[in-house]
């Protein structure tokens, strides 16, 4: 449409601000130009219009109206453009969550397959035991009855033969020459008639089978549960006295109510919450998260000094409403005074971000970072361990852990390492973290943020401690090895682009990092800087080949000991990859393996091996000769994985099927 020609549907008064950009003539008054704007009618008018029908309306210069309009349009444009970064950030977050959901699904699917394969294996083992027991019981009974049968047959044959001879003698003439022979027959008949024969059965024919399968069937129908919740961080809220007041040294409590996307309350527990109270300098206060299994959680914490603090509450690594909260902690006026009432004003909480908030707080479960024990949960394995009383004497000193996502709880723990300064490190694979304990089993700390970026963990499977104190972690899904400081601060990664599925890690006498690549069936040797020193191994059944190698250890001669999972053997190599020793075969006997996993070596060169499929630990000398078992009868292992020797000379093993680690006596 040409400028100056109104739309067929327009009236003369429908001249808009945008149309005035062309300097239109007034449609009502010929020869007049619309230089004014009636804000009441939102139309352009001329001077005559302004004095006439728009006399009582607010009018002003058209150029000023245009400027105001364009300013408003610019504001709306800016507001719309400001949404784009939010949308981009939300897209990144959602894609990450979707990827994590997909990864978690894959991990759970793998866990289901492994669990049911193990159940099948357990059933097959039980089947073999029952068949063997049947054969043994049958053999014992059959031996008794067969011996009795043989005795009777022998007795019967003797009587028949003697009777036949006697009848023949009696049928002939009585002669003096045969008297001696007949006298012998008589003595034999007398002995046969009086001999003791087993006429009554000395064994019975009972062989029955009692199979109480009904309870097992019911258990199988209830076996396994997929755990989830519809809780979202943007709708979940925190409340309670802990957001209103806090006194130094006294417990404070915050209640978290989880809600779904529509704001409705969630009625189930098991949401992944993290909580952290920290100062601007980064120090963390003690705390504990309690799950009431009804959608509500309590975070109980204690702060031992005055000052400004930040309380970060995260649900699935995202801040809930109002988080992080700013806290001010004060001292009670009277140390003997009971905790103040809710009217106290010693703490203020706002939703403004504080400098105490830290990205390093993206952890799962209970409050991380604290070395003190928080409120102990019912049934928790945390605390001072005591040896389990059991009528069967074995080597178990203590066990730590149950299935879960909090500190001291594990989901598919795999790698184990022990440091020279008395720490036990556990690679908690499905919880994407490393947990650290003392040699006595006291929880020290945990670190790890789930993700696929450098410094994050996706599936940690192996862990080792470098002589300089650094913590080395094999990340199976991220396909690299991460290096953290002894405090859990990320430093570097190595092997990216080379590794396909690193499972176990170790450190040799030169400080080199030994990486067992499970997928590539190769052992890599790196400098801590990431430079590749050498590699050896390929997929296969040969002496220098592997089929799913798992973990490695290094002895005092700098020789590398590798467990070859699917080849059911242990192999010892020089650092250059030359095979020195191979021992083990598939089976259940002494020195045999059913998929070996963890391996460690003591100061005397003895090799300790976790026999995953046989759920036991075997000990060999340096030449591969079987020495003994570590006695696990009282509290049996179930799928042991990584193991290590602690600085006080005990064996620690990841009992993955029982979601705990165990420490056993071991005399070197």
């Amino acid at each position: 449409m040409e400028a100056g020609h109104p739309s067929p549907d327009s009236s003369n008064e429908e001249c808009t601000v945008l149309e005035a950009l062309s300097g239109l003539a007034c449609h009502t008054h010929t020869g007049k130009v619309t230089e004014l704007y009636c804000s009441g009618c939102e139309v352009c008018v001329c001077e005559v219009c302004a004095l006439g029908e728009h006399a009582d309306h607010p009018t002003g210069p058209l150029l000023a109206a245009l400027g105001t309009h364009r300013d408003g349009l610019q504001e709306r444009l800016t507001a719309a453009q400001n949404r784009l970064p939010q949308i981009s950030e939300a897209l990144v977050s959602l894609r990450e969550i979707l990827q994590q959901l997909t990864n978690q699904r894959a991990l759970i699917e793998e866990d289901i397959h492994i669990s049911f394969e193990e159940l099948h294996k357990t059933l097959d083992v039980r089947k073999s035991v029952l068949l063997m027991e049947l054969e043994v019981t049958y053999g014992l009974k059959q031996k008794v009855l067969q011996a009795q049968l043989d005795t009777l047959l022998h007795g019967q044959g003797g009587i028949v033969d003697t009777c036949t001879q006697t009848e023949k003698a009696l049928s002939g003439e009585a002669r003096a020459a045969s008297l001696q022979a007949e006298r012998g027959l008589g003595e034999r008949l007398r002995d046969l008639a009086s001999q003791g024969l087993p006429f009554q059965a000395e064994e019975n024919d009972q062989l029955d089978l009692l199979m109480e399968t009904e309870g097992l069937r019911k258990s199988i129908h209830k076996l396994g549960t997929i755990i989830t919740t519809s809780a979202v961080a943007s709708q979940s809220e925190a409340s309670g006295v802990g957001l209103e007041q806090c006194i130094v040294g006294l417990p404070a409590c915050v209640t978290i109510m989880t809600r779904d996307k529509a704001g409705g309350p969630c009625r189930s527990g098991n949401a992944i919450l993290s909580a952290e109270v920290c100062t601007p300098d980064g120090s963390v206060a003690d705390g504990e998260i309690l799950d009431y299994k009804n959608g509500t959680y309590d975070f109980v914490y204690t702060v031992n000094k005055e000052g400004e603090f930040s309380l970060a509450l995260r649900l699935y690594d995202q801040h809930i409403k109002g988080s992080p909260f700013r806290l001010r902690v004060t001292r009670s006026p009277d140390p003997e005074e009971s905790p103040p009432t809710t009217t106290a004003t010693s703490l203020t909480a706002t939703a403004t971000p504080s400098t105490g908030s830290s990205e390093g707080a993206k952890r799962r479960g209970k409050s991380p970072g604290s070395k003190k024990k928080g409120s102990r949960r019912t049934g928790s394995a945390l605390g001072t361990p005591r040896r389990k009383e059991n009528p069967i004497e074995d080597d178990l000193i203590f066990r730590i852990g149950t299935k879960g996502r909090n500190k001291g709880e594990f989901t598919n723990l795999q790698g184990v390492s022990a440091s020279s300064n008395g720490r036990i490190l556990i690679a908690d694979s499905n919880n994407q973290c490393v947990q650290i304990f003392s040699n006595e089993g006291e929880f020290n700390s945990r670190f790890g943020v789930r993700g696929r970026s450098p410094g994050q963990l996706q599936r940690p499977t192996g862990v080792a401690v470098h002589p300089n104190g650094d913590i080395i972690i094999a990340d199976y899904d991220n396909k690299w090895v991460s290096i953290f400081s002894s405090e859990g601060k990320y430093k570097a990664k190595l092997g990216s682009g080379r590794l396909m599925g690193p499972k176990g890690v170790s450190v040799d006498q030169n400080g080199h990092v030994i990486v067992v690549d499970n997928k590539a069936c190769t052992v890599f040797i790196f400098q801590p800087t990431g430079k590749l020193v050498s590699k050896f191994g390929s997929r296969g059944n040969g002496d220098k080949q592997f089929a799913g190698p798992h973990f490695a250890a290094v002895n005092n001669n700098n020789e590398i000991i590798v467990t070859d999972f699917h080849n059911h053997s242990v192999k010892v190599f020089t650092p250059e990859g030359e095979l020195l020793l191979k021992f083990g075969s598939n089976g259940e006997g002494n020195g045999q393996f059913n998929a070996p996993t963890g391996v460690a070596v003591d100061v005397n060169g003895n090799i300790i091996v976790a026999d995953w499929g046989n759920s036991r630990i075997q000990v060999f000398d340096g030449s591969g000769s079987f020495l003994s078992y570590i006695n696990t009868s009282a509290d049996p292992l179930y799928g042991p994985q990584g193991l290590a020797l602690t600085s006080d000379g005990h064996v620690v093993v990841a009992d993955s099927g029982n979601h705990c680690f165990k420490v056993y006596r071991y005399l070197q």
Side-chain angles (χ1 to χ4, degrees), residues 543-661:
D543 288 345
K544 295 184 179 181
Q545 294 180 310
F546 304 103
H550 268 52
F551 294 96
V554 181
N555 63 19
N556 290 334
N557 297 325
N558 213 31
E559 296 163 349
I560 303 170
I561 305 163
V562 183
T563 53
D564 196 352
F565 189 82
H566 293 296
N567 283 331
H568 311 288
S569 61
V570 174
K571 299 176 180 178
V572 183
F573 298 87
T574 67
E576 293 74 33
E578 294 300 318
L579 180 70
L580 298 173
L581 174 67
K582 172 186 174 183
F583 61 91
S585 60
N586 190 14
E588 300 177 1
N590 295 348
Q592 293 184 310
F593 301 111
N594 185 1
T597 48
V599 62
V601 59
D602 67 19
V603 293
N604 298 316
N606 296 322
I607 301 169
I608 306 100
V609 182
D611 191 356
W612 180 82
N614 290 323
S615 288
R616 63 187 181 184
I617 301 174
Q618 300 191 65
V619 183
F620 302 83
D621 66 16
S623 64
S625 298
F626 173 80
L627 294 178
S628 65
Y629 297 105
I630 290 179
N631 190 349
T632 63
S633 304
D635 193 353
L637 297 170
Y638 185 40
Q641 294 231 31
L643 59 75
L645 281 168
T646 64
S647 58
D648 53 359
H650 298 142
V651 169
V652 54
V653 60
D655 191 356
S656 60
N658 289 317
H659 309 290
C660 67
F661 72 88

Side-chain angles (χ1 to χ4, degrees), residues 102-169:
T102 303
N103 295 340
Q104 196 66 14
R105 174 202 170 198
L107 290 174
I108 292 174
E109 186 176 22
E110 180 184 358
D111 287 346
I112 291 172
H113 284 300
I114 291 174
S115 297
F116 279 87
E117 285 170 5
E118 291 172 349
L119 285 175
H120 281 301
K121 186 180 296 182
T122 303
L123 287 173
D124 287 340
V125 170
R126 184 56 185 162
K127 175 183 174 181
S128 300
V129 169
L130 283 175
L131 290 173
M132 186 182 300
E133 188 178 329
L134 174 63
E135 286 303 309
V136 170
T137 306
Y138 166 78
L140 293 174
K141 286 178 172 286
Q142 185 266 348
K143 183 177 181 180
V144 172
L145 292 172
Q146 188 63 50
Q148 185 180 0
L149 182 63
D150 293 343
T151 300
L152 287 173
L153 288 172
H154 181 72
Q156 182 188 49
I159 292 174
V160 170
D161 290 345
T162 305
C163 288
T164 300
Q165 294 176 24
T166 302
E167 288 174 349
K168 184 178 180 180

Side-chain angles (χ1 to χ4, degrees), residues 280-399:
D281 62 11
S283 60
V284 180
D286 189 22
E288 185 88 8
I289 291 177
L290 305 177
D291 183 355
Y292 292 106
K293 305 299 182 182
N294 61 359
T296 62
Y297 305 77
D298 276 352
F299 174 53
V300 181
Y301 66 93
T302 305
V303 182
N304 293 319
K305 61 180 180 180
E306 292 180 284
E308 298 287 341
F309 289 78
S310 171
L311 169 59
L313 298 174
R314 291 182 174 88
L315 177 66
Y316 301 108
D317 292 342
Q318 297 180 346
H319 285 286
I320 69 170
K321 281 186 179 179
S323 175
F325 301 93
R326 191 180 300 278
L327 309 178
R328 179 169 179 79
V329 182
T330 62
R331 291 192 177 277
S332 173
D334 184 355
E336 301 299 323
E337 187 179 15
S338 61
T341 64
T342 56
T343 57
T345 58
S346 58
L347 178 149
T348 60
T350 69
T352 56
S354 71
T355 57
S357 178
S358 170
E359 288 300 313
K362 290 185 178 179
R363 301 180 175 93
R364 308 171 72 176
K366 300 179 186 178
S367 172
S370 171
K371 293 187 179 180
K372 297 181 180 179
K373 291 186 290 184
S375 303
R376 183 172 174 177
R377 298 176 67 174
T378 304
S380 171
L382 301 179
T384 303
R386 296 183 179 180
R387 178 172 177 174
K388 181 179 178 180
E389 295 297 329
N390 198 297
I392 303 175
E393 180 68 21
D394 75 353
D395 298 322
L396 179 67
I397 301 175
F398 61 83
R399 61 178 283 172

